[in-house]
Amino acid sequence: MTRRPPDLLIEPVVRMALAEDLGRAGDITAQACIPEGSRMRAVFAARQPGVLAGIDCVRLSLLAMDPAATVSPKLRDGDAFEAGAVLVEAEADARAFLAAERTALNLLGRMCGVATLTRAYVEVVAGTGARIADTRKTTPGLRALEKHAVACGGGVNHRFGLDDAILIKDNHVAVCGGVGEAIRRARAAAGHLVRIEIEVDGIDQLDEALAERPDVVMLDNFSPAMLREAVARADASPFGRPLLEASGGVRLDTVRAMAETGVDVISVGALTHSAPSLDVGLDVI
């Protein structure tokens, strides 16, 4: 089971989305058509197969509109399902339910889409030893939810933000004047629990990086042949082998070849910036 984000992180996202939808006067359609005090039971059902993530978004959306709502998940985050599967059953005040419907569906569909795409990548590299990781290329405001969805799909989370770890990228290197100098500056400033990762874009930079003993080396836009050479050099390095992360140009049709080179992690921005929302609907029962 994946560790879910606490309600304290999810609730502001849900309330912001609800406020955006409710506008200045609330759901005037439900107010006009639905008698006050009416109750409504419905299920959130999948229209296509996928992997579940975002159950708490449904629960908190409904409870924000009706604190007395009952929400009964039928599956857990991380579970796979087929088209037609009932994901959640709920009962609430009808006006409240209808006002929360779109927010709950938007968030649930988005999270399921990320989890489903992640699972596809994880399955493609199965047996290679490489792990699939996300990036910070997330939807602003939804990072905690989208990274949870990646974990639900079987991926692992890269750093959450700029304060989690030192990741020296090409622009840092350019300003510092070189890979070695950038790592030395980072090492001098880092606390004893802070890991240091350096991005390199060629074998020459890799050799320079290995001599400085970083914790992780990101091999950016390396071809499979270059990745194999990088793995061989790291394995033979007298300075020890850092964890090797491949990134750049990663697609479902290229990731297996990258994984078979012996890298440890493959980071995939597409998990969050290009995942299509899964089709989930609300059916009254």
Side-chain angles (χ1 to χ4, degrees):
M1 178 185 297
T2 61
R3 289 181 294 176
R4 52 174 289 277
D7 288 357
L8 187 65
L9 284 178
I10 306 173
E11 281 184 313
V13 175
V14 169
R15 290 187 178 278
M16 180 181 66
L18 286 169
E20 180 179 58
D21 214 20
L22 291 168
R24 295 166 298 174
D27 183 359
I28 61 175
T29 306
Q31 293 170 25
C33 299
I34 307 299
E36 186 175 1
S38 299
R39 302 292 293 175
M40 173 177 162
R41 288 182 63 213
V43 295
F44 291 81
R47 306 295 193 231
Q48 60 187 116
V51 176
L52 184 58
I55 284 291
D56 289 313
C57 296
V58 175
R59 175 176 60 84
L60 292 172
S61 295
L62 289 172
L63 289 175
M65 298 304 299
D66 177 7
T70 58
V71 181
S72 303
K74 300 305 178 183
L75 297 171
R76 298 183 301 178
D77 278 0
D79 287 346
F81 54 80
E82 297 299 324
V86 172
L87 308 179
V88 187
E89 183 176 328
E91 181 174 348
D93 175 89
R95 288 184 176 182
F97 207 143
L98 292 167
E101 173 186 356
R102 180 42 53 194
T103 291
L105 286 171
N106 283 350
L107 290 172
L108 181 61
R110 173 66 184 153
M111 297 309 109
C112 287
V114 170
T116 300
L117 182 59
T118 302
R119 183 68 55 86
Y121 274 89
V122 169
E123 290 177 348
V124 168
V125 304
T128 65
R131 296 187 294 174
I132 298 296
D134 54 28
T135 69
R136 287 188 301 119
K137 295 176 181 177
T138 54
T139 307
L142 296 184
R143 182 168 294 171
L145 295 177
E146 291 180 344
K147 282 184 171 283
H148 170 64
V150 166
C152 289
V156 297
N157 294 146
H158 213 289
R159 60 178 180 161
F160 189 90
L162 293 172
D163 61 343
D164 283 359
I166 292 177
L167 174 45
I168 305 165
K169 298 181 73 68
D170 55 352
N171 288 331
H172 299 101
V173 170
V175 173
C176 289
V179 166
E181 178 63 19
I183 297 174
R184 288 189 291 273
R185 292 184 188 182
R187 186 74 69 195
H192 68 290
L193 294 181
V194 177
R195 288 164 64 85
I196 296 174
E197 179 172 7
I198 179 79
E199 175 188 277
V200 301
D201 57 17
I203 295 298
D204 56 337
Q205 286 191 334
L206 171 64
D207 290 338
E208 186 179 356
L210 289 173
E212 299 297 333
R213 304 176 188 266
D215 299 297
V216 186
V217 175
M218 178 187 291
L219 308 167
D220 189 44
N221 286 305
F222 277 43
S223 68
M226 292 174 65
L227 289 174
R228 283 191 291 272
E229 181 178 354
V231 170
R233 285 178 180 255
D235 286 343
S237 172
F239 306 105
R241 185 194 192 281
L243 186 145
L244 298 177
E245 174 187 340
S247 70
V250 187
R251 305 188 307 270
L252 275 172
D253 63 343
T254 64
V255 70
R256 178 76 189 190
M258 297 172 71
E260 289 175 341
T261 65
V263 296
D264 303 292
V265 176
I266 302 173
S267 52
V268 188
L271 300 183
T272 51
H273 71 58
S274 295
S277 291
L278 202 79
D279 190 3
V280 181
L282 184 70
D283 300 323
V284 176
I285 56 175

